Amino acid sequence: MTVRVRFAPSPTGSFHVGGARSALQNWIYAHQHDGVFVLRIEDTDAARNRPEWTEGILAALDWIGIERGSYEGPYYQSSYAADHTAAATRLFGEGKAYHCDCKREDVIARTGNQHTGYDGFCRDRGLGPGEGRALRFRTPDEGETVVEDLVRGKPTFENRLIEDFVIARADGSPLFLLANVVDDMTMGITHVIRAEEHLPNTPKQQMLWEALGHTPPVWAHVPVIVNEKRQKLSKRRDKVALESYRDEGYLAAAMKNYLMLLGWAPSGDREIVPWSVIETEYRLEDVSHASAFFDIKKLRAFNGDYIRALAPDEFAAVCAPWLTGTDTIPAPPWAPAAFDTEVFTAVAPLAQTRIQVLSEIVDYVDFFFLDEPVRDEASWAKAMKGDAAEILDATVAAFEALEVWAAEPLKAALEEVGLARELKLGKTQAPVRVAVTGRSVGLPLFESIEVLGRERTLHRLRSARASL
């Protein structure tokens, strides 16, 4: 048997990080078993589907290494509507499904309980299709349905507790449960790897597989991803769009590594590992049952480690979108002609050790490419008080006298300014840093001043002094 797995997202919004994890888990399983990864776009919700969301899914998968051309598909669920309808007709014809015209209020009136599920009232009424008549699957009254699950063992469901569920609307259009099963059968899916939120649907889908004469797939339900309040990640409440992390400057390798740790861990006391290790060691049987906390702070730290591990030329290359702007990344505050590649190359190693996401590069280097630095008002208010004016005057004089414009002489000159006033270097350099860079935190000051140059540095010091 050739292993065939599928990833089946809906194009109704941004690409969820939980979807990205599911895609990677299916991708790895297919590769481990010389199998096939199938991409199916479940686009039957015409009111919410948009072409740009489909392209967003494809682009997001490209970014995490599941590139177009390396998998089967994409297939579109809407193309299989005739198969869905045929399956519903067959189930009705074989007596495995029946039409029902009950409304929710009818069920409540009969049972006297608004929490009771459907009571099977129409099972034997012999209704045919018609307006207001949905199609329900006839579930067994006795016995159990056992789900063979690679993660959770053998969850068992009592059939009597599973109501006769709707598989097609009154207009004949199939619901997710039926369409999903028919598509999986049509595409020869052997393993379904997905989030545990789908586990309650699994006995129903397994019944449909069997009713349609097929052996159900192997199931694997991985833990749901939650926020710091242990709530399931929500698009309305949490930052979940993979695209937003990409455009903020998270590296694909860091994101992939982190996502795979949500419910699983590699061998040894380590978390940051090459993708090849994950592909080799990952086992669905080793995945935890507990909910997985999506810790953004930890992800940022991960990303910072990945950034620091880049070679200098790699770091410069991955920063490029934030230095120029793209369709999804805002342009930097400087004019394109003002950007100097040599200057950036010189200071990039200084920034590489400090940033955690690539978008931070702009604030670290913008003062090199602007006529005047962007002034952070809080930094200015804190640094430009007391004897700041005197320090700036003395610094201008000291820097003007330097014969060699380099980091060490610049530092020595400012230390002398501080010693003359019984000030430590940190206190002395505070107004100088803000005058030159606009901020109180940034790259190493003296290396930055060396690259900025004598003329521009002195101009900014004098300009800041004149503003006091």
Side-chain angles (χ1 to χ4, degrees):
M1 178 187 69
T2 298
V3 167
R4 290 177 62 85
V5 301
R6 51 78 165 171
F7 177 58
S10 299
T12 56
S14 55
F15 192 62
H16 198 290
V17 291
R21 183 188 63 162
S22 292
L24 290 169
Q25 289 166 329
N26 279 278
W27 182 255
I28 288 175
Y29 197 84
H31 277 237
Q32 288 177 336
H33 296 85
D34 295 322
V36 178
F37 177 98
V38 177
L39 176 63
R40 182 173 73 234
I41 305 297
E42 299 198 333
D43 62 340
T44 52
D45 188 348
R48 298 175 61 203
N49 294 339
R50 285 163 35 189
E52 58 266 34
W53 295 133
T54 298
E55 174 56 30
I57 290 170
L58 300 178
L61 291 174
D62 286 340
W63 185 61
I64 58 174
I66 305 176
E67 298 177 339
R68 279 171 260 210
S70 65
Y71 48 78
E72 189 176 303
Y75 299 118
Y76 293 86
Q77 190 172 66
S78 57
S79 301
Y80 297 86
D83 294 335
H84 307 153
T85 301
T89 301
R90 174 184 166 186
L91 290 170
F92 175 68
E94 295 177 354
K96 298 173 182 176
Y98 60 91
H99 287 281
C100 171
D101 61 2
C102 295
K103 296 181 174 58
R104 182 61 190 156
E105 52 266 31
D106 298 333
V107 178
I108 295 174
R110 287 195 298 267
T111 63
N113 188 336
Q114 62 178 340
H115 302 295
T116 299
Y118 181 65
D119 59 355
F121 180 78
C122 290
R123 268 190 166 198
D124 301 313
R125 291 178 65 196
L127 298 177
E131 184 177 351
R133 295 177 179 178
L135 186 65
R136 289 183 179 272
F137 182 78
R138 189 186 298 268
T139 61
D141 294 323
E142 300 176 345
E144 298 174 332
T145 296
V146 179
V147 174
E148 299 282 348
D149 194 296
L150 292 178
V151 175
R152 300 180 182 277
K154 296 183 177 182
T156 301
F157 301 83
E158 291 187 65
N159 292 335
R160 65 181 182 82
L161 300 178
I162 302 175
E163 68 178 21
D164 292 352
F165 53 93
V166 176
I167 57 175
R169 303 176 184 87
D171 63 4
S173 60
L175 267 65
F176 163 79
L177 285 175
L178 179 62
N180 192 266
V181 166
V182 172
D183 289 343
D184 283 349
M185 290 190 304
T186 302
M187 297 173 190
I189 301 304
T190 63
H191 294 70
V192 173
I193 304 166
R194 58 189 183 181
E196 68 173 306
E197 62 198 77
H198 296 287
L199 183 58
N201 287 330
T202 305
K204 300 176 183 179
Q205 291 183 308
Q206 188 158 301
M207 289 176 184
L208 287 172
W209 274 82
E210 293 167 347
L212 291 168
H214 289 258
T215 301
V218 177
W219 308 97
H221 290 89
V222 299
V224 70
I225 303 176
V226 298
N227 63 19
E228 68 279 1
K229 295 181 180 179
R230 313 306 294 180
Q231 300 167 321
K232 178 187 169 186
L233 286 187
S234 166
K235 290 182 178 180
R236 292 184 297 273
R237 181 183 56 238
D238 304 302
K239 180 180 174 181
V240 301
L242 188 72
E243 301 96 321
S244 68
Y245 287 99
R246 177 195 63 198
D247 294 345
E248 189 177 341
Y250 286 83
L251 297 174
M255 178 60 77
K256 290 166 62 178
N257 188 165
Y258 182 72
L259 287 175
M260 293 307 297
L261 296 181
L262 298 177
W264 174 83
S267 61
D269 186 18
R270 55 182 180 166
E271 292 185 310
I272 295 179
V273 293
W275 184 249
S276 59
V277 171
I278 295 175
E279 282 198 314
T280 299
E281 294 191 0
Y282 183 77
R283 294 289 182 274
L284 285 167
E285 293 84 352
D286 296 334
V287 172
S288 168
H289 294 187
S291 299
F293 171 36
F294 191 84
D295 187 342
I296 294 180
K297 291 181 179 178
K298 184 173 182 177
L299 173 59
R300 281 180 62 88
F302 252 63
N303 202 61
D305 286 339
Y306 268 87
I307 286 174
R308 287 186 287 278
L310 294 172
D313 58 334
E314 291 177 318
F315 175 70
V318 297
C319 285
W322 289 268
L323 304 175
T324 59
T326 69
D327 291 342
T328 58
I329 297 172
W334 55 79
F339 183 75
D340 188 321
T341 302
E342 291 186 4
V343 168
F344 180 74
T345 300
V347 300
L350 305 178
Q352 186 175 357
T353 61
R354 288 165 170 76
I355 67 173
Q356 289 190 306
V357 293
L358 296 174
S359 57
E360 294 173 345
I361 191 65
V362 174
D363 287 347
Y364 273 100
V365 303
D366 60 357
F367 68 95
F368 289 106
F369 311 119
L370 295 169
D371 290 336
E372 299 294 337
V374 176
R375 180 188 294 184
D376 176 70
E377 294 301 334
S379 297
W380 179 274
K382 184 176 181 180
M384 299 303 182
K385 60 184 181 181
D387 50 4
E390 182 182 343
I391 291 173
L392 291 175
D393 285 336
T395 301
V396 168
F399 284 1
E400 284 179 327
L402 286 176
E403 294 183 4
V404 177
W405 190 265
E408 285 303 318
L410 287 163
K411 179 180 179 182
L414 195 57
E415 284 176 331
E416 288 297 324
V417 170
L419 286 173
R421 290 157 183 79
E422 298 184 345
L423 297 174
K424 294 182 178 179
L425 181 60
K427 179 71 172 177
T428 310
Q429 71 178 17
V432 176
R433 176 182 287 280
V434 173
V436 173
T437 72
R439 302 178 179 88
S440 59
V441 177
L443 303 181
L445 178 60
F446 303 106
E447 288 82 353
S448 298
I449 291 176
E450 177 182 343
V451 174
L452 187 65
R454 185 189 298 268
E455 182 178 341
R456 296 180 73 195
T457 300
L458 291 174
H459 166 75
R460 292 184 181 185
L461 292 170
R462 294 187 185 108
S463 178
R465 173 62 180 89
S467 298
L468 297 179

